[in-house]
Structure formats: structure tokens, C-alpha cells
């Protein structure tokens, strides 16, 4: 009998340095009023110089293992799946290094590149490995240091993104167990790949044999078009998963959307018919942390007692690629670390 993946541990880590809107207003032609009213973000964390994505991932991974009651030792998990837009290096992947530094022995370890949808893609991959009987326990991490790819000349992206890491442990469990994943929906549209892009540093630019244009090594985004697509795709993906599972919107305890912009989250909740108080929002404190966004929002909502064991959760995300995805689960009786 296939065993479903169950969420058995959750961990979150934010680098200590807070960067307020006021601090950014000193550096860029912007104001706290613009940032707060257009995005909902008030502050975010940026890693100190010398700190990279693996450093945050190790911290979050450690906490998730602790939350799951697992000792970080060889054999504790069979797979480590790390979603990130900001790997330590273009090659090799960051996950094997994170697995080694956590003392996990020699598990399968690889990165997933789906930008802000990465954590949901990673959860789906982990869940499938468990359903197929290929893994009993998987550590799934979403970790980002966006501060390393932001263009210091670009006020729009520089005020939105923050650094952080979140991690989950998925374990083979029983049908009907609280914490069991019920289904996933994933999608992409590569025709819109230019809406969110780092133009230089990959084979497309290197194959041209010329130096990259100034600024092309940084993250770029066409914000307004991304905004409209994000609302449409997260709403459609969520609705399609709800329909497939036969879940009514009323039966969903909380909607945990990718923390991109409070106006996006409000629009998705409205279009799905989820009351605003059941949509989890923590971007005011952390900004858009891309692949770390969903686990950080979950940890935040769990820590203050908003999530009740057994309630239905709908997760949804959208990001570069374009990519999007949704996941459904019941909330387990766990204490995030
Ligand atoms: N401070 C002040 N003004 C700013 C600014 C800033 N930080 N950033 C942009 N502006 C200006 C623009 O230059 C523009 O000025 P103009 O009208 O004189 O040309 C004006 O604000 C409106 O810009 P626009 O990009 O149309 O604003 P917007 O209402 O769409 O908000 C975003 C911009 C980026 C906040 C919004 O589009 C967004 O959140 N998009 C989704 C981003 C996202 O979440 N991406 C992650 C992947 S899901």
C-alpha cells in the first residue's frame, strides 16, 4: 500500500540583520509610505556579508529535524531537496553541502530551481518519492539570499525581497493522519520566462562569448505583468486543486500564499472566496523571501497558534519561469522550531 507523505517537522531561520523601509529610503529614491502601501512590506532581513544560502539552509534544516524529533545523523533522512534561486554556486548544487554539514551521511541530495514556487515543487517531489516507496523521510528546504542578486540601482526589486530559510520534514505515514498531504497542482509557462530573469551568468549569455551588459548579473522583474499573472495563476491553481479534492472553499482553515505582495494575497483570497482573516500574511516582517516564503509563513502562523491541528490548509505559490503550484494538507500536531 502506498504511504502518503506526512508533515512531521517544520523549521525557520532568519538572518539577524533587519532592514527597515526607512533604511532603504535613505539609499533609494523611495519612501516608507510607497513601500508599505504598494507591497505591505515594512521590514525584511538581509544576510551579513559572507553569509550564503547554504548557511541559512543548514540552520533551518537543523530546526526542522529537531521539530520532527530526528537526530541529525546518517540515515535520519533518505533525501534532501533544496529549493533556491540563489544557490551558493552555479555548480555544484547546494543540497549535498547542506546534507553533509547537517551530518546526514549520504542521502540523495539535489536542488530545485522554480524561483518563488520552488518550495511547492520540492514538496511535490518529496511527497512523490515517499508515495513511490523510494524514501521514508525527506528534508525539504527553501532557502534564499536575494540580497546577493538585487541590483543596487533598482529601487523596485530592492525594496521587495528578503533573505531567509524554512524547512520541512516529510515522513511516510498513514491515510487520514493529520499532516498528510492530500494533493498537488503544478504548472508553468516558459513563454513568459523574461518577466523574471537574471540575464547573465548562464549558458545563454556565456555562449555569446562577450562580456555581460552592465547590470545583467542582477535579478530583473517586470512587476506589473508579474502581479497580474500571479493573481490569475495562484487563483486558478488553487481552485483546480480544491475541485480535484472535492474541498469547498469554506472547508479550508487557512490559505497560505506565497508572500509576494499583500495586494496579490488579498486579490487571490477574494477571488477564491476565502475571508481575509483566513489568509496568512507575514510579509510585513520578512518581505518576499521567494522559495523560503511558504515555510516561513507556515512557521509564523503555527507559532502564534493560528493553525489548529486537523484543519485543512491550502498552499499556493507563483514565481519566475513562469511557474506556479498549490498543495493541500491537514495541519499536523507539531511544534515548529
Ligand atoms: N519607490 C517609489 N516608487 C517606485 C518604486 C519604489 N520602490 N518602485 C517603483 N516605483 C514607481 C515606478 O517607477 C512607477 O513610476 P511611474 O508611474 O512614474 O513610472 C510607479 O512606481 C508605479 O510602478 P509600477 O511597477 O506600475 O507599480 P505597481 O503598483 O505595479 O507596484 C510592484 C510595483 C513591484 C510592487 C508590483 O508590481 C508587484 O508587487 N509585482 C509583483 C512582484 C512580485 O511579487 N514578484 C515576485 C515573484 S511572484
Amino acid at each position: 500500500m502506498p504511504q502518503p507523505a506526512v508533515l512531521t517537522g517544520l523549521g525557520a531561520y532568519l538572518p539577524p540583520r533587519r532592514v527597515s523601509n526607512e533604511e532603504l529610503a535613505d539609499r533609494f529614491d523611495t519612501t516608507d509610505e510607497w513601500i508599505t502601501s504598494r507591497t505591505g512590506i515594512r521590514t525584511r532581513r538581509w544576510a551579513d556579508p559572507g553569509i550564503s544560502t547554504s548557511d541559512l539552509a543548514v540552520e533551518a534544516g537543523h530546526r526542522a529535524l529537531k521539530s520532527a524529533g530526528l537526530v541529525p545523523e546518517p540515515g535520519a533522512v533518505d533525501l534532501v531537496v533544496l529549493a533556491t534561486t540563489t544557490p551558493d554556486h552555479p555548480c555544484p548544487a547546494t543540497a549535498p553541502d547542506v546534507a553533509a554539514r547537517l551530518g546526514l551521511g549520504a542521502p540523495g541530495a539535489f536542488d530545485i530551481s522554480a524561483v518563488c514556487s520552488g518550495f511547492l515543487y520540492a514538496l511535490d517531489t518529496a511527497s512523490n518519492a515517499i508515495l513511490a516507496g523510494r524514501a521514508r523521510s525527506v528534508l525539504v528546504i527553501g532557502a534564499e539570499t536575494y540580497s546577493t542578486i538585487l541590483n543596487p540601482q533598482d529601487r523596485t526589486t530592492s525594496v521587495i525581497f528578503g533573505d531567509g530559510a524554512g524547512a520541512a520534514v516529510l515522513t511516510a505515514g498513514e491515510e487520514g493522519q493529520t499532516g498528510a498531504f492530500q494533493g498537488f497542482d503544478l504548472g508553468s509557462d516558459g513563454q513568459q520566462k523574461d518577466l523574471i530573469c537574471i540575464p547573465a551568468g548562464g549558458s545563454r549569455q556565456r555562449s555569446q562569448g562577450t562580456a555581460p551588459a552592465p547590470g545583467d548579473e542582477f535579478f530583473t522583474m517586470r512587476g506589473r505583468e508579474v502581479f497580474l499573472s500571479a493573481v490569475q495563476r495562484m487563483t486558478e491553481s488553487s481552485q483546480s486543486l480544491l475541485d480535484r479534492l472535492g474541498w469547498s472553499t469554506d472547508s479550508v482553515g487557512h490559505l497560505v500564499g506565497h508572500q509576494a505582495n499583500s495586494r496579490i494575497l488579498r486579490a487571490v483570497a477574494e477571488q477564491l472566496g476565502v475571508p481575509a482573516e483566513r489568509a496568512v500574511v507575514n510579509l510585513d516582517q520578512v518581505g518576499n523571501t521567494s522559495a523560503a516564503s511558504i515555510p516561513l509563513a507556515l512557521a509564523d502562523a503555527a507559532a502564534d497558534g493560528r493553525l489548529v491541528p486537523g484543519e485543512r490548509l491550502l498552499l499556493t505559490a507563483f514565481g519566475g519561469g513562469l511557474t506556479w503550484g498549490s498543495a493541500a494538507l491537514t495541519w499536523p500536531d507539531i511544534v515548529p522550531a
Side-chain angles (χ1 to χ4, degrees), residues 28-31 34-35 38-39 115-116 154-157 159-161 196 219 221-228 230 234 258-261 263-264 288 318-320:
F28 298 95
D29 179 17
T30 190
T31 59
W34 192 93
I35 303 169
R38 302 312 292 161
T39 71
V115 197
C116 301
D154 181 0
R155 63 178 177 179
T156 306
T157 50
V159 303
I160 291 175
F161 290 93
I196 291 173
F219 180 90
M221 180 176 71
R222 300 207 322 245
R224 186 162 288 182
E225 288 153 277
V226 168
F227 189 105
L228 297 173
M234 284 198 280
H258 166 51
Q259 305 287 307
N261 182 314
R263 292 184 293 139
I264 293 178
N288 180 343
F318 175 89

Side-chain angles (χ1 to χ4, degrees), residues 189 192 195 224-235 318 322 324:
D189 176 7
Q192 306 260 42
L195 293 190
R224 186 162 288 182
E225 288 153 277
V226 168
F227 189 105
L228 297 173
S229 268
V231 173
Q232 182 199 343
R233 297 300 192 178
M234 284 198 280
T235 306
F318 175 89
L322 299 174
W324 55 87

Side-chain angles (χ1 to χ4, degrees), residues 48-68:
D48 283 324
I51 300 297
S52 70
T53 293
S54 65
D55 300 324
L56 309 189
V58 166
E59 292 288 347
H62 218 277
R63 291 169 189 210
L65 293 166
K66 185 172 172 218
S67 160

Side-chain angles (χ1 to χ4, degrees), residues 5-10 67-68 168-171 176-182 298 302 306-313 315 328-336:
V6 174
L7 180 68
T8 52
L10 189 68
S67 160
V169 174
L170 271 57
T171 309
Q177 189 176 338
T178 58
F181 282 88
Q182 307 294 317
L298 279 173
R306 250 176 297 169
L307 306 183
V308 178
E311 74 167 75
R312 288 177 169 180
L313 291 190
L315 319 179
L329 72 157
T330 54
W331 183 246
D333 194 0
I334 57 168
V335 181

